[in-house]
Each structure stands twice: as structure tokens, then as C-alpha cells.
Amino acid sequence: MLGINGTEMLILVVVALVVIGPKRLPEYAQKLRDLVRQMRRMAEGAKDSVRRDFGDDFNDVDWQKLDPRQYDPRRIVREALVEEDSAIRESKLRESSAASSDTPAQSLDSGSAGSVGDADSTPREPRTKTLSPIERFQAQSALRDRSATAPFDTEAT
């Protein structure tokens, strides 16, 4: 509960006996007990008021996601860049697919335009299949040997 093991608790009791004295110890123990009970009542009251204020939404909250210890700024930035990069690629892919769907309709009107439209759509396909710098980094980090230590440049610090 408090991170105190049995030995530490025994030492605290002995120190309390020496400092407070055996005559006043029951009085202080009772005050400590009352303080702990009051704090528990206050904590339960706060929980109840929060539950009452938030209603059913309070039970749906995933408290693990809100734990500040899990946040790594590097990971957050990396994920944001990947999301942004993939969104840009998807929009370019949609634009190129819309343009290529318009091109065959135009190629029916003129025979020479069809070969030009096919030539334009061919170079676009490899561009959509290439990896972004973030995705290349993620692929390289997945292949990296984790057992070896990272290189350290003493002159850089």
C-alpha cells in the first residue's frame, strides 16, 4: 500500500515509542486513526461526486490511455508524421485514380491521347509504392539488431 515492508514498519513503531513515549502513544494512535478515516471518507466523497457529475461516461473512460507516464514525445511526433504522410499519399492516390479514370474517357474521343494517358499513369504507380522517410525509418528500425548497443560519439556531447 505505502511501500513499507514489515521491517520498516517495526522500526517506525519503535521510533514512535521512543519519541512519543508510552503514555501519549494511544492518544496519537487514535488521532492518526481518525485522520486516516477522514481522508478515506473525503476520497470516497470525491469519487462519488465525480461519478455523479460525469454519469455513465465515467465508466467508459480508459484510464490507462490517460496515464502521463506512457507519453513519449518522440513516438507522438513520429506517429503524427506517419499519419500526415499517409493522408497525403492517400489524397495523391485518389487524385491520380480520379485523373486516370478521366483519361480513358478522353482517350475514346481521340486515339492518340489514349497512349499519352497510359504513359502518364505508368510513372505514377511506382511513386505511390515508394516508402516515405518515416516508413523507411520504421522498416529499418524493425530490421535493427536490438542486442547490439547503439553507437555513441563522445565528441558530440
Side-chain angles (χ1 to χ4, degrees):
M1 180 172 92
L2 296 174
I4 299 175
N5 61 24
T7 307
E8 293 171 347
M9 187 63 154
L10 183 65
I11 291 172
L12 287 174
V13 168
V14 169
V15 168
L17 279 172
V18 171
V19 171
I20 296 174
K23 291 182 180 177
R24 291 183 293 168
L25 188 62
E27 176 187 340
Y28 283 105
Q30 186 178 10
K31 286 181 181 180
L32 178 64
R33 182 193 65 182
D34 293 340
L35 178 69
V36 169
R37 284 182 179 172
Q38 183 181 4
M39 295 300 262
R40 282 187 182 172
R41 272 189 249 120
M42 289 174 52
E44 288 297 321
K47 284 181 189 177
D48 291 340
S49 68
V50 167
R51 282 194 181 112
R52 189 174 44 250
D53 290 344
F54 284 110
D56 293 334
D57 295 338
F58 183 76
N59 295 330
D60 297 337
V61 175
D62 184 13
W63 295 107
Q64 293 288 26
K65 287 184 179 180
L66 300 176
D67 186 9
R69 294 173 289 183
Q70 73 172 346
Y71 292 113
D72 180 18
R74 295 170 293 185
R75 180 183 54 84
I76 293 170
V77 169
R78 192 177 318 124
E79 288 175 358
L81 289 173
V82 167
E83 288 174 5
E84 181 180 323
D85 193 40
S86 63
I88 291 171
R89 260 188 290 115
E90 287 175 7
S91 66
K92 285 183 180 179
L93 182 62
R94 274 188 249 123
E95 289 173 2
S96 66
S97 66
S100 65
S101 66
D102 291 342
T103 305
Q106 294 171 354
S107 65
L108 294 175
D109 296 341
S110 61
S112 62
S115 62
V116 173
D118 293 338
D120 286 344
S121 65
T122 305
R124 289 184 185 158
E125 290 179 36
R127 275 191 233 146
T128 59
K129 291 182 181 179
T130 59
L131 297 175
S132 70
I134 301 291
E135 291 173 333
R136 282 196 312 264
F137 170 76
Q138 288 176 337
Q140 290 171 353
S141 67
L143 298 174
R144 189 176 307 134
D145 182 20
R146 301 274 184 212
S147 62
T149 59
F152 182 72
D153 186 9
T154 57
E155 296 178 9
T157 57

